Amino acid sequence: MKKSVLLVSLLFSALAMQASIKIDRIEPTDWFVGMKDASLQLMVYGKDVKNANVTTSYAGVRVDSIVKLDSPNYLLVYLNLKGAKPGEITLYFANKGSKTKVKYMLKSRAMKGDEHVGFSSTDVLYMLMPDRFADGNVKNDQLKGMNNYKCDRTKPSLRHGGDLEGIRQHLDYFNQLGVTALWFTPVLENNSPDNNDYSTYHGYATTDYYNVDPRFGNNLEYKQLIDDAHKHGLKIVMDMIFNHCGFEHPWIKDIPSKDWFNSPEWLYTAGANGRDPMTGLANSAPKVNDKYKQTNYRLSTVLDPYASKFDKDETVNGWFVPTMPDLNQRNPHVMKYLIQNSEWWIETVGIDGIRMDTYPYADFDGMAEWMKTLNAEYPNFNIVGETWVAEPAYTATWQKDSRLAKKNSYLKTVMDFSFYVKLSEAKNEETNNEDTGLQRIYNSFVYDYLYPNPQNVMAFIENHDTDRFLGEGRNVNMLKQAYALLLTTRRIPQLYYGTEVLMNGTKTVTDGNVRKDFIGGFPGDARSAFTREGRTADENDMFDWLSRLLHWRQGNKVISEGSMIQFMPHNGIYAFARQKDGKTVLTILNGTTKTEMFDVKRYAEVIGSAKQGRDILTDRVINLDVDNITMQPRESLIIEL
């Protein structure tokens, strides 16, 4: 009798255990109808969900396929949404008598794909690091539930507490300055613990692709910031990373499939008995083993026609650093996940552009598929890829429709590292008539014929990965000359936060020294560079000078669309003209520390019959009916004819 009762009890217990399948998470968290690609990949997380069958009876939606991965705790469900209407789907999961249902939302799109207009040469991007710009909500500085970290402004490599609310509170500042687009370093969750005074405040180790890091805010606050930015006439560019994720991403503790990452064998994970096979410790967290190798950082191998397989493999498949596992974009399911993620953020919060980190380190074909998909869905959107090689031919090869490339990347905009490197060298040199100083810039622009579209190249004088342009000094004339060049040449210009108020620093000790807190953005700051009253006289002079140039540039089609004629440096002076619809802007830069003479007759083909022009930097009239114009050391002129 007791045995029968026991059997019945066990039977009921077994049935109870099979009563439902627990679904922990589905990504994307919701989706949109009316996309050109009707296919939707759902990545389902749940214990032993691998063998579940999935059905739905929602009109216009069908299950195209179900993909089982190596881990029992993931399932990929591919839906076809052709003809589907907005509404709540019910997804049914069944496995050996177990059954559960999950609600999933299909939403209407806020606008059509071609109505999303990205950044262009009409814009000036202002790059900032949310953690270092302004702290608008001190309550999210130190949060429970995150992996061990410190918020300590005295340490350049720890979190400082800046957030999205801090940026939102200073949108008027960007309007005063005159920039038109904001590029934030990544805002998604980076739930990595501090290690030897180092944290992922920079954002480049994603641990959740669908949620903003709670120390910055949340998804709703991100959308509110973007909506408010749009009201201020500002575009928002989102920084993304497809090459790698953070070590604390759930995919590391439970790898979906053996080909989800490049070289997953470099990980020690707990064995079948729950112990690390090397240390024998129970419940050990994953970590890299002695087989680990990181990328060689030599991006030349990706396009080198003579590259060895060993070198190229090390570049593309080596991890960026031990804490950033390398995603395998050759896996079509990984790539589909990443493509959908970028589409989801465009649709959900209304970003106006994407900056893709470490672009050539990822698989060429996978990234080309991403770009081709987004160009089809959002033909007027724009994406810039970080292509860190200082040779114009290399950079040009990555641009969409390049004649130099064997295969089309479909990447519209590339970053001009040649410009950055040449200017970094030129700023400390005297310009001669051969190869030093601003002659380097002339020589770099000579190769613009390699680009399918030079106006879709992003130029910069500094960013978060470089020394600040001012180094440890404050050479204002040199900085003004760099900005005069950057903001009038044939490029999409990008500025770096704080230089407009003379923030400086080098990476000699740590990257954090070029990522200092914006003055006045944090509680307790003695003064605020956000206001005229809080800035010093020198800071106001620099801010006003740059603001005047930026506001003049807004809507100026001669600069954003005009042709360009450059002249070889002469007497240490470099000059180039931008022209459109009969209008001319002539930029003249004295690239020496001496007084030099600008020979007006040499530039007759762009000056024409004009007897005078206006220097937009000072609003003074420049007499052109002379033989020479005297230029002071490092003087810059931007003359409207």
Side-chain angles (χ1 to χ4, degrees), residues 67 115 230 296 379 430 457 472 502 638:
V67 179
E115 294 174 337
H230 289 166
N296 52 31
E430 297 290 308
V457 177
E472 298 293 352
L502 303 178
I638 301 176

Side-chain angles (χ1 to χ4, degrees), residues 12 30 93 100 226 270 286 446 475 523 557-558 571 579 594 635:
F12 275 107
D30 47 49
F93 293 80
T100 194
I226 293 173
V446 161
N475 190 327
K557 291 188 177 181
V558 178
N571 290 341
Q579 296 180 315
K594 300 176 292 184
E635 184 179 9

Side-chain angles (χ1 to χ4, degrees), residues 117 326 424 626:
V117 178
D326 208 61
S424 297
V626 294

Side-chain angles (χ1 to χ4, degrees), residues 35 133 175 375 432 507 559 603:
M35 305 286 283
F133 192 72
N175 289 152
N375 289 344
N432 62 19
K507 299 170 58 177
I559 302 302
Y603 307 90

Side-chain angles (χ1 to χ4, degrees), residues 289-437:
N289 58 34
D290 57 5
K291 296 179 181 179
Y292 168 82
K293 64 179 179 179
Q294 64 188 32
T295 179
N296 52 31
Y297 305 110
R298 298 295 297 273
L299 292 177
S300 56
T301 65
V302 179
L303 300 181
D304 179 5
Y306 310 117
S308 66
K309 291 181 180 179
F310 179 90
D311 289 338
K312 186 173 182 179
D313 177 75
E314 193 173 65
T315 300
V316 177
N317 296 329
W319 291 16
F320 205 71
V321 293
T323 55
M324 296 179 183
D326 208 61
L327 290 166
N328 177 18
Q329 299 82 27
R330 292 180 294 275
N331 181 324
H333 305 303
V334 172
M335 207 61 231
K336 179 69 171 178
Y337 178 97
L338 296 172
I339 291 171
Q340 287 186 171
N341 181 255
S342 52
E343 292 175 315
W344 188 87
W345 283 108
I346 295 170
E347 297 289 337
T348 300
V349 299
I351 55 174
D352 306 290
I354 293 171
R355 181 265 188 181
M356 181 54 66
D357 184 65
T358 54
Y359 196 96
Y361 289 96
D363 179 66
F364 186 101
D365 292 337
M367 298 302 287
E369 181 63 25
W370 170 61
M371 282 304 320
K372 190 175 182 181
T373 301
L374 263 63
N375 289 344
E377 190 67 60
Y378 310 102
N380 299 314
F381 195 73
N382 198 8
I383 293 172
V384 57
E386 181 192 32
T387 48
W388 197 327
V389 171
E391 298 297 332
Y394 185 92
T395 308
T397 304
W398 285 97
Q399 193 175 43
K400 181 178 180 290
D401 300 329
S402 173
R403 294 165 296 173
L404 304 174
K406 294 181 179 179
K407 295 182 288 187
N408 200 334
S409 72
Y410 300 101
L411 175 65
K412 291 181 181 178
T413 301
V414 289
M415 295 176 68
D416 193 351
F417 280 91
S418 174
F419 178 87
Y420 157 72
V421 170
K422 303 298 190 298
L423 188 59
S424 297
E425 296 170 334
K427 68 182 182 182
N428 295 317
E429 298 175 337
E430 297 290 308
T431 300
N432 62 19
N433 295 334
E434 296 179 3
D435 56 8
T436 64

Side-chain angles (χ1 to χ4, degrees), residues 193-214:
D194 290 347
N195 181 22
N196 296 326
D197 291 335
Y198 174 79
S199 71
T200 54
Y201 68 89
H202 49 70
Y204 289 97
T206 309
T207 54
D208 188 331
Y209 284 94
Y210 282 94
N211 279 299
V212 166
D213 194 297

